[in-house]
Amino acid sequence: MVDWDSLQRSASEIAERAYAPYSGYRVGAAALADDGRLVVGCNVENAAYGVTLCAECGLVSQLHATGGGRLTHFVCVNGTGEVIMPCGRCRQLLWENGGAPLEVLTPEGVLTMDQVLPQAFGPENLGL
């Protein structure tokens, strides 16, 4: 049984550390890996907006930096702790690191990644 409230609190706590001096829009993300590790990330803006890092990017980086594995449960929140949806780029990133069964807490409840990103493109499409 996943404690979604605890996962959402972890995302809210890391959102406080976001670097968002341009937009003021703080984002935090938290997920569980298949070995039970908690991984988190926050957005990091840049004056060259195109190179801004989403919270999910930091989370996936932490996943790999701390041993790899697969994401099993994920939530993303804004600076006030409200659950938000990952952007399109980050949905692809989550697909790559959690796949179809990854459970995502969304504003409409818990959905699997294949519901969030139907007919996703992934490594299997590259013949790898």
PDB file of all heavy atoms in Angstrom, residues 92-126:
ATOM      1  N   GLN A  92       7.265  11.663 -21.146  1.00  0.00           N
ATOM      2  CA  GLN A  92       8.137  10.755 -21.889  1.00  0.00           C
ATOM      3  C   GLN A  92       9.272  10.252 -20.993  1.00  0.00           C
ATOM      4  O   GLN A  92       9.620   9.078 -21.014  1.00  0.00           O
ATOM      5  CB  GLN A  92       8.703  11.451 -23.125  1.00  0.00           C
ATOM      6  CG  GLN A  92       9.562  10.571 -23.996  1.00  0.00           C
ATOM      7  CD  GLN A  92       8.774   9.449 -24.663  1.00  0.00           C
ATOM      8  OE1 GLN A  92       7.626   9.629 -25.043  1.00  0.00           O
ATOM      9  NE2 GLN A  92       9.380   8.291 -24.801  1.00  0.00           N
ATOM     10  N   LEU A  93       9.838  11.136 -20.197  1.00  0.00           N
ATOM     11  CA  LEU A  93      10.909  10.774 -19.272  1.00  0.00           C
ATOM     12  C   LEU A  93      10.411   9.759 -18.243  1.00  0.00           C
ATOM     13  O   LEU A  93      11.104   8.777 -17.932  1.00  0.00           O
ATOM     14  CB  LEU A  93      11.412  12.045 -18.577  1.00  0.00           C
ATOM     15  CG  LEU A  93      12.678  11.973 -17.760  1.00  0.00           C
ATOM     16  CD1 LEU A  93      13.870  11.598 -18.621  1.00  0.00           C
ATOM     17  CD2 LEU A  93      12.915  13.323 -17.085  1.00  0.00           C
ATOM     18  N   LEU A  94       9.209   9.965 -17.739  1.00  0.00           N
ATOM     19  CA  LEU A  94       8.629   9.024 -16.775  1.00  0.00           C
ATOM     20  C   LEU A  94       8.346   7.677 -17.428  1.00  0.00           C
ATOM     21  O   LEU A  94       8.557   6.626 -16.822  1.00  0.00           O
ATOM     22  CB  LEU A  94       7.358   9.609 -16.160  1.00  0.00           C
ATOM     23  CG  LEU A  94       7.566  10.818 -15.263  1.00  0.00           C
ATOM     24  CD1 LEU A  94       6.231  11.457 -14.904  1.00  0.00           C
ATOM     25  CD2 LEU A  94       8.355  10.441 -14.020  1.00  0.00           C
ATOM     26  N   TRP A  95       7.879   7.709 -18.672  1.00  0.00           N
ATOM     27  CA  TRP A  95       7.628   6.454 -19.396  1.00  0.00           C
ATOM     28  C   TRP A  95       8.919   5.641 -19.502  1.00  0.00           C
ATOM     29  O   TRP A  95       8.945   4.444 -19.256  1.00  0.00           O
ATOM     30  CB  TRP A  95       7.060   6.743 -20.785  1.00  0.00           C
ATOM     31  CG  TRP A  95       6.790   5.488 -21.552  1.00  0.00           C
ATOM     32  CD1 TRP A  95       7.664   4.806 -22.353  1.00  0.00           C
ATOM     33  CD2 TRP A  95       5.592   4.728 -21.540  1.00  0.00           C
ATOM     34  NE1 TRP A  95       7.065   3.679 -22.853  1.00  0.00           N
ATOM     35  CE2 TRP A  95       5.798   3.605 -22.369  1.00  0.00           C
ATOM     36  CE3 TRP A  95       4.364   4.894 -20.919  1.00  0.00           C
ATOM     37  CZ2 TRP A  95       4.807   2.652 -22.587  1.00  0.00           C
ATOM     38  CZ3 TRP A  95       3.377   3.947 -21.147  1.00  0.00           C
ATOM     39  CH2 TRP A  95       3.605   2.842 -21.965  1.00  0.00           C
ATOM     40  N   GLU A  96       9.979   6.311 -19.870  1.00  0.00           N
ATOM     41  CA  GLU A  96      11.275   5.646 -20.057  1.00  0.00           C
ATOM     42  C   GLU A  96      11.788   5.017 -18.763  1.00  0.00           C
ATOM     43  O   GLU A  96      12.447   3.995 -18.786  1.00  0.00           O
ATOM     44  CB  GLU A  96      12.287   6.669 -20.571  1.00  0.00           C
ATOM     45  CG  GLU A  96      13.639   6.103 -20.906  1.00  0.00           C
ATOM     46  CD  GLU A  96      13.799   5.709 -22.364  1.00  0.00           C
ATOM     47  OE1 GLU A  96      12.903   6.004 -23.173  1.00  0.00           O
ATOM     48  OE2 GLU A  96      14.817   5.106 -22.690  1.00  0.00           O
ATOM     49  N   ASN A  97      11.442   5.617 -17.612  1.00  0.00           N
ATOM     50  CA  ASN A  97      12.004   5.172 -16.340  1.00  0.00           C
ATOM     51  C   ASN A  97      11.012   4.455 -15.427  1.00  0.00           C
ATOM     52  O   ASN A  97      11.390   4.030 -14.342  1.00  0.00           O
ATOM     53  CB  ASN A  97      12.626   6.369 -15.610  1.00  0.00           C
ATOM     54  CG  ASN A  97      13.867   6.829 -16.318  1.00  0.00           C
ATOM     55  OD1 ASN A  97      14.937   6.278 -16.120  1.00  0.00           O
ATOM     56  ND2 ASN A  97      13.729   7.830 -17.182  1.00  0.00           N
ATOM     57  N   GLY A  98       9.777   4.328 -15.878  1.00  0.00           N
ATOM     58  CA  GLY A  98       8.783   3.603 -15.094  1.00  0.00           C
ATOM     59  C   GLY A  98       7.906   2.705 -15.935  1.00  0.00           C
ATOM     60  O   GLY A  98       7.383   1.709 -15.467  1.00  0.00           O
ATOM     61  N   GLY A  99       7.721   3.090 -17.188  1.00  0.00           N
ATOM     62  CA  GLY A  99       6.924   2.280 -18.099  1.00  0.00           C
ATOM     63  C   GLY A  99       5.434   2.337 -17.828  1.00  0.00           C
ATOM     64  O   GLY A  99       4.950   3.104 -16.986  1.00  0.00           O
ATOM     65  N   ALA A 100       4.707   1.500 -18.531  1.00  0.00           N
ATOM     66  CA  ALA A 100       3.244   1.468 -18.472  1.00  0.00           C
ATOM     67  C   ALA A 100       2.686   1.287 -17.064  1.00  0.00           C
ATOM     68  O   ALA A 100       1.686   1.918 -16.716  1.00  0.00           O
ATOM     69  CB  ALA A 100       2.713   0.378 -19.405  1.00  0.00           C
ATOM     70  N   PRO A 101       3.301   0.463 -16.203  1.00  0.00           N
ATOM     71  CA  PRO A 101       2.696   0.245 -14.888  1.00  0.00           C
ATOM     72  C   PRO A 101       2.957   1.333 -13.848  1.00  0.00           C
ATOM     73  O   PRO A 101       2.367   1.300 -12.767  1.00  0.00           O
ATOM     74  CB  PRO A 101       3.310  -1.079 -14.427  1.00  0.00           C
ATOM     75  CG  PRO A 101       4.625  -1.157 -15.110  1.00  0.00           C
ATOM     76  CD  PRO A 101       4.417  -0.472 -16.445  1.00  0.00           C
ATOM     77  N   LEU A 102       3.814   2.316 -14.144  1.00  0.00           N
ATOM     78  CA  LEU A 102       4.092   3.379 -13.182  1.00  0.00           C
ATOM     79  C   LEU A 102       2.784   4.047 -12.773  1.00  0.00           C
ATOM     80  O   LEU A 102       2.007   4.480 -13.617  1.00  0.00           O
ATOM     81  CB  LEU A 102       5.039   4.423 -13.797  1.00  0.00           C
ATOM     82  CG  LEU A 102       5.267   5.714 -13.002  1.00  0.00           C
ATOM     83  CD1 LEU A 102       5.861   5.425 -11.634  1.00  0.00           C
ATOM     84  CD2 LEU A 102       6.151   6.668 -13.794  1.00  0.00           C
ATOM     85  N   GLU A 103       2.528   4.108 -11.469  1.00  0.00           N
ATOM     86  CA  GLU A 103       1.320   4.759 -10.962  1.00  0.00           C
ATOM     87  C   GLU A 103       1.618   6.222 -10.688  1.00  0.00           C
ATOM     88  O   GLU A 103       2.593   6.555 -10.020  1.00  0.00           O
ATOM     89  CB  GLU A 103       0.818   4.059  -9.698  1.00  0.00           C
ATOM     90  CG  GLU A 103       0.318   2.665  -9.983  1.00  0.00           C
ATOM     91  CD  GLU A 103      -0.286   1.988  -8.767  1.00  0.00           C
ATOM     92  OE1 GLU A 103      -0.509   2.644  -7.725  1.00  0.00           O
ATOM     93  OE2 GLU A 103      -0.535   0.774  -8.853  1.00  0.00           O
ATOM     94  N   VAL A 104       0.755   7.100 -11.215  1.00  0.00           N
ATOM     95  CA  VAL A 104       0.927   8.542 -11.118  1.00  0.00           C
ATOM     96  C   VAL A 104      -0.280   9.137 -10.401  1.00  0.00           C
ATOM     97  O   VAL A 104      -1.421   8.913 -10.817  1.00  0.00           O
ATOM     98  CB  VAL A 104       1.067   9.171 -12.525  1.00  0.00           C
ATOM     99  CG1 VAL A 104       1.240  10.667 -12.440  1.00  0.00           C
ATOM    100  CG2 VAL A 104       2.222   8.532 -13.291  1.00  0.00           C
ATOM    101  N   LEU A 105      -0.017   9.894  -9.324  1.00  0.00           N
ATOM    102  CA  LEU A 105      -1.099  10.619  -8.671  1.00  0.00           C
ATOM    103  C   LEU A 105      -1.367  11.870  -9.496  1.00  0.00           C
ATOM    104  O   LEU A 105      -0.479  12.693  -9.700  1.00  0.00           O
ATOM    105  CB  LEU A 105      -0.719  10.993  -7.234  1.00  0.00           C
ATOM    106  CG  LEU A 105      -1.786  11.723  -6.418  1.00  0.00           C
ATOM    107  CD1 LEU A 105      -3.075  10.902  -6.323  1.00  0.00           C
ATOM    108  CD2 LEU A 105      -1.252  12.064  -5.034  1.00  0.00           C
ATOM    109  N   THR A 106      -2.571  11.992 -10.022  1.00  0.00           N
ATOM    110  CA  THR A 106      -2.955  13.118 -10.881  1.00  0.00           C
ATOM    111  C   THR A 106      -4.080  13.898 -10.195  1.00  0.00           C
ATOM    112  O   THR A 106      -4.656  13.421  -9.212  1.00  0.00           O
ATOM    113  CB  THR A 106      -3.451  12.614 -12.258  1.00  0.00           C
ATOM    114  OG1 THR A 106      -4.789  12.094 -12.111  1.00  0.00           O
ATOM    115  CG2 THR A 106      -2.533  11.558 -12.855  1.00  0.00           C
ATOM    116  N   PRO A 107      -4.428  15.071 -10.715  1.00  0.00           N
ATOM    117  CA  PRO A 107      -5.568  15.795 -10.147  1.00  0.00           C
ATOM    118  C   PRO A 107      -6.877  15.001 -10.215  1.00  0.00           C
ATOM    119  O   PRO A 107      -7.812  15.292  -9.489  1.00  0.00           O
ATOM    120  CB  PRO A 107      -5.653  17.062 -11.020  1.00  0.00           C
ATOM    121  CG  PRO A 107      -4.248  17.277 -11.490  1.00  0.00           C
ATOM    122  CD  PRO A 107      -3.714  15.882 -11.721  1.00  0.00           C
ATOM    123  N   GLU A 108      -6.918  13.976 -11.067  1.00  0.00           N
ATOM    124  CA  GLU A 108      -8.115  13.138 -11.194  1.00  0.00           C
ATOM    125  C   GLU A 108      -7.973  11.804 -10.478  1.00  0.00           C
ATOM    126  O   GLU A 108      -8.792  10.913 -10.663  1.00  0.00           O
ATOM    127  CB  GLU A 108      -8.430  12.917 -12.672  1.00  0.00           C
ATOM    128  CG  GLU A 108      -8.801  14.200 -13.392  1.00  0.00           C
ATOM    129  CD  GLU A 108      -9.191  13.980 -14.831  1.00  0.00           C
ATOM    130  OE1 GLU A 108      -9.259  12.820 -15.291  1.00  0.00           O
ATOM    131  OE2 GLU A 108      -9.435  14.999 -15.509  1.00  0.00           O
ATOM    132  N   GLY A 109      -6.917  11.632  -9.680  1.00  0.00           N
ATOM    133  CA  GLY A 109      -6.698  10.377  -8.962  1.00  0.00           C
ATOM    134  C   GLY A 109      -5.494   9.632  -9.517  1.00  0.00           C
ATOM    135  O   GLY A 109      -4.751  10.145 -10.354  1.00  0.00           O
ATOM    136  N   VAL A 110      -5.317   8.407  -9.066  1.00  0.00           N
ATOM    137  CA  VAL A 110      -4.175   7.598  -9.484  1.00  0.00           C
ATOM    138  C   VAL A 110      -4.454   6.981 -10.851  1.00  0.00           C
ATOM    139  O   VAL A 110      -5.489   6.348 -11.067  1.00  0.00           O
ATOM    140  CB  VAL A 110      -3.871   6.490  -8.452  1.00  0.00           C
ATOM    141  CG1 VAL A 110      -2.727   5.613  -8.932  1.00  0.00           C
ATOM    142  CG2 VAL A 110      -3.546   7.098  -7.095  1.00  0.00           C
ATOM    143  N   LEU A 111      -3.520   7.210 -11.783  1.00  0.00           N
ATOM    144  CA  LEU A 111      -3.590   6.630 -13.122  1.00  0.00           C
ATOM    145  C   LEU A 111      -2.273   5.926 -13.408  1.00  0.00           C
ATOM    146  O   LEU A 111      -1.221   6.342 -12.908  1.00  0.00           O
ATOM    147  CB  LEU A 111      -3.817   7.712 -14.188  1.00  0.00           C
ATOM    148  CG  LEU A 111      -5.087   8.544 -14.085  1.00  0.00           C
ATOM    149  CD1 LEU A 111      -5.064   9.670 -15.117  1.00  0.00           C
ATOM    150  CD2 LEU A 111      -6.318   7.672 -14.277  1.00  0.00           C
ATOM    151  N   THR A 112      -2.317   4.888 -14.227  1.00  0.00           N
ATOM    152  CA  THR A 112      -1.077   4.269 -14.666  1.00  0.00           C
ATOM    153  C   THR A 112      -0.494   5.103 -15.805  1.00  0.00           C
ATOM    154  O   THR A 112      -1.202   5.859 -16.473  1.00  0.00           O
ATOM    155  CB  THR A 112      -1.304   2.823 -15.140  1.00  0.00           C
ATOM    156  OG1 THR A 112      -2.265   2.833 -16.190  1.00  0.00           O
ATOM    157  CG2 THR A 112      -1.756   1.931 -13.988  1.00  0.00           C
ATOM    158  N   MET A 113       0.794   4.939 -16.013  1.00  0.00           N
ATOM    159  CA  MET A 113       1.464   5.746 -17.028  1.00  0.00           C
ATOM    160  C   MET A 113       0.889   5.503 -18.421  1.00  0.00           C
ATOM    161  O   MET A 113       0.836   6.423 -19.235  1.00  0.00           O
ATOM    162  CB  MET A 113       2.972   5.452 -16.992  1.00  0.00           C
ATOM    163  CG  MET A 113       3.826   6.511 -17.610  1.00  0.00           C
ATOM    164  SD  MET A 113       3.588   8.125 -16.864  1.00  0.00           S
ATOM    165  CE  MET A 113       3.871   9.133 -18.292  1.00  0.00           C
ATOM    166  N   ASP A 114       0.424   4.288 -18.698  1.00  0.00           N
ATOM    167  CA  ASP A 114      -0.162   4.054 -20.021  1.00  0.00           C
ATOM    168  C   ASP A 114      -1.512   4.760 -20.176  1.00  0.00           C
ATOM    169  O   ASP A 114      -1.960   4.993 -21.294  1.00  0.00           O
ATOM    170  CB  ASP A 114      -0.247   2.568 -20.377  1.00  0.00           C
ATOM    171  CG  ASP A 114      -1.072   1.747 -19.419  1.00  0.00           C
ATOM    172  OD1 ASP A 114      -1.398   2.217 -18.313  1.00  0.00           O
ATOM    173  OD2 ASP A 114      -1.378   0.590 -19.770  1.00  0.00           O
ATOM    174  N   GLN A 115      -2.140   5.162 -19.072  1.00  0.00           N
ATOM    175  CA  GLN A 115      -3.338   5.990 -19.151  1.00  0.00           C
ATOM    176  C   GLN A 115      -2.959   7.463 -19.334  1.00  0.00           C
ATOM    177  O   GLN A 115      -3.661   8.210 -20.008  1.00  0.00           O
ATOM    178  CB  GLN A 115      -4.190   5.831 -17.886  1.00  0.00           C
ATOM    179  CG  GLN A 115      -4.810   4.455 -17.741  1.00  0.00           C
ATOM    180  CD  GLN A 115      -5.471   4.280 -16.394  1.00  0.00           C
ATOM    181  OE1 GLN A 115      -4.835   4.422 -15.360  1.00  0.00           O
ATOM    182  NE2 GLN A 115      -6.763   3.992 -16.420  1.00  0.00           N
ATOM    183  N   VAL A 116      -1.841   7.868 -18.719  1.00  0.00           N
ATOM    184  CA  VAL A 116      -1.369   9.249 -18.832  1.00  0.00           C
ATOM    185  C   VAL A 116      -0.779   9.510 -20.209  1.00  0.00           C
ATOM    186  O   VAL A 116      -0.942  10.586 -20.778  1.00  0.00           O
ATOM    187  CB  VAL A 116      -0.316   9.546 -17.732  1.00  0.00           C
ATOM    188  CG1 VAL A 116       0.349  10.896 -17.932  1.00  0.00           C
ATOM    189  CG2 VAL A 116      -0.957   9.464 -16.344  1.00  0.00           C
ATOM    190  N   LEU A 117      -0.097   8.514 -20.760  1.00  0.00           N
ATOM    191  CA  LEU A 117       0.575   8.667 -22.050  1.00  0.00           C
ATOM    192  C   LEU A 117       0.249   7.453 -22.928  1.00  0.00           C
ATOM    193  O   LEU A 117       1.073   6.555 -23.110  1.00  0.00           O
ATOM    194  CB  LEU A 117       2.098   8.788 -21.830  1.00  0.00           C
ATOM    195  CG  LEU A 117       2.949   9.167 -23.031  1.00  0.00           C
ATOM    196  CD1 LEU A 117       2.582  10.548 -23.553  1.00  0.00           C
ATOM    197  CD2 LEU A 117       4.422   9.134 -22.655  1.00  0.00           C
ATOM    198  N   PRO A 118      -0.987   7.414 -23.463  1.00  0.00           N
ATOM    199  CA  PRO A 118      -1.363   6.255 -24.284  1.00  0.00           C
ATOM    200  C   PRO A 118      -0.539   6.189 -25.574  1.00  0.00           C
ATOM    201  O   PRO A 118      -0.115   7.214 -26.108  1.00  0.00           O
ATOM    202  CB  PRO A 118      -2.838   6.497 -24.587  1.00  0.00           C
ATOM    203  CG  PRO A 118      -3.059   7.953 -24.384  1.00  0.00           C
ATOM    204  CD  PRO A 118      -2.041   8.417 -23.384  1.00  0.00           C
ATOM    205  N   GLN A 119      -0.305   4.982 -26.016  1.00  0.00           N
ATOM    206  CA  GLN A 119       0.447   4.725 -27.245  1.00  0.00           C
ATOM    207  C   GLN A 119       1.809   5.393 -27.221  1.00  0.00           C
ATOM    208  O   GLN A 119       2.263   5.975 -28.205  1.00  0.00           O
ATOM    209  CB  GLN A 119      -0.361   5.168 -28.464  1.00  0.00           C
ATOM    210  CG  GLN A 119      -1.677   4.456 -28.601  1.00  0.00           C
ATOM    211  CD  GLN A 119      -2.431   4.856 -29.836  1.00  0.00           C
ATOM    212  OE1 GLN A 119      -1.854   5.159 -30.873  1.00  0.00           O
ATOM    213  NE2 GLN A 119      -3.746   4.825 -29.757  1.00  0.00           N
ATOM    214  N   ALA A 120       2.475   5.290 -26.068  1.00  0.00           N
ATOM    215  CA  ALA A 120       3.769   5.941 -25.891  1.00  0.00           C
ATOM    216  C   ALA A 120       4.851   5.335 -26.784  1.00  0.00           C
ATOM    217  O   ALA A 120       4.791   4.177 -27.177  1.00  0.00           O
ATOM    218  CB  ALA A 120       4.207   5.818 -24.431  1.00  0.00           C
ATOM    219  N   PHE A 121       5.830   6.163 -27.074  1.00  0.00           N
ATOM    220  CA  PHE A 121       7.009   5.743 -27.833  1.00  0.00           C
ATOM    221  C   PHE A 121       8.116   5.462 -26.834  1.00  0.00           C
ATOM    222  O   PHE A 121       8.362   6.265 -25.915  1.00  0.00           O
ATOM    223  CB  PHE A 121       7.442   6.882 -28.774  1.00  0.00           C
ATOM    224  CG  PHE A 121       8.622   6.535 -29.625  1.00  0.00           C
ATOM    225  CD1 PHE A 121       8.453   5.898 -30.843  1.00  0.00           C
ATOM    226  CD2 PHE A 121       9.917   6.852 -29.224  1.00  0.00           C
ATOM    227  CE1 PHE A 121       9.533   5.584 -31.646  1.00  0.00           C
ATOM    228  CE2 PHE A 121      11.010   6.554 -30.016  1.00  0.00           C
ATOM    229  CZ  PHE A 121      10.810   5.903 -31.226  1.00  0.00           C
ATOM    230  N   GLY A 122       8.771   4.324 -26.977  1.00  0.00           N
ATOM    231  CA  GLY A 122       9.827   3.970 -26.034  1.00  0.00           C
ATOM    232  C   GLY A 122      10.926   3.167 -26.691  1.00  0.00           C
ATOM    233  O   GLY A 122      10.955   3.009 -27.928  1.00  0.00           O
ATOM    234  N   PRO A 123      11.858   2.654 -25.895  1.00  0.00           N
ATOM    235  CA  PRO A 123      13.001   1.911 -26.425  1.00  0.00           C
ATOM    236  C   PRO A 123      12.603   0.733 -27.314  1.00  0.00           C
ATOM    237  O   PRO A 123      13.292   0.419 -28.282  1.00  0.00           O
ATOM    238  CB  PRO A 123      13.731   1.433 -25.179  1.00  0.00           C
ATOM    239  CG  PRO A 123      13.245   2.268 -24.070  1.00  0.00           C
ATOM    240  CD  PRO A 123      11.886   2.739 -24.444  1.00  0.00           C
ATOM    241  N   GLU A 124      11.486   0.106 -26.969  1.00  0.00           N
ATOM    242  CA  GLU A 124      11.036  -1.036 -27.782  1.00  0.00           C
ATOM    243  C   GLU A 124      10.744  -0.639 -29.211  1.00  0.00           C
ATOM    244  O   GLU A 124      10.837  -1.458 -30.124  1.00  0.00           O
ATOM    245  CB  GLU A 124       9.832  -1.726 -27.129  1.00  0.00           C
ATOM    246  CG  GLU A 124       8.593  -0.875 -27.045  1.00  0.00           C
ATOM    247  CD  GLU A 124       8.550   0.129 -25.892  1.00  0.00           C
ATOM    248  OE1 GLU A 124       9.502   0.203 -25.089  1.00  0.00           O
ATOM    249  OE2 GLU A 124       7.570   0.874 -25.827  1.00  0.00           O
ATOM    250  N   ASN A 125      10.390   0.611 -29.435  1.00  0.00           N
ATOM    251  CA  ASN A 125      10.120   1.103 -30.788  1.00  0.00           C
ATOM    252  C   ASN A 125      11.399   1.312 -31.597  1.00  0.00           C
ATOM    253  O   ASN A 125      11.345   1.488 -32.809  1.00  0.00           O
ATOM    254  CB  ASN A 125       9.328   2.389 -30.752  1.00  0.00           C
ATOM    255  CG  ASN A 125       7.994   2.221 -30.078  1.00  0.00           C
ATOM    256  OD1 ASN A 125       7.784   2.691 -28.961  1.00  0.00           O
ATOM    257  ND2 ASN A 125       7.078   1.504 -30.715  1.00  0.00           N
ATOM    258  N   LEU A 126      12.526   1.308 -30.918  1.00  0.00           N
ATOM    259  CA  LEU A 126      13.817   1.492 -31.604  1.00  0.00           C
ATOM    260  C   LEU A 126      14.472   0.163 -31.946  1.00  0.00           C
ATOM    261  O   LEU A 126      15.568   0.142 -32.495  1.00  0.00           O
ATOM    262  CB  LEU A 126      14.765   2.315 -30.701  1.00  0.00           C
ATOM    263  CG  LEU A 126      14.289   3.732 -30.378  1.00  0.00           C
ATOM    264  CD1 LEU A 126      15.240   4.375 -29.393  1.00  0.00           C
ATOM    265  CD2 LEU A 126      14.171   4.555 -31.635  1.00  0.00           C
TER     266      LEU A 126
END
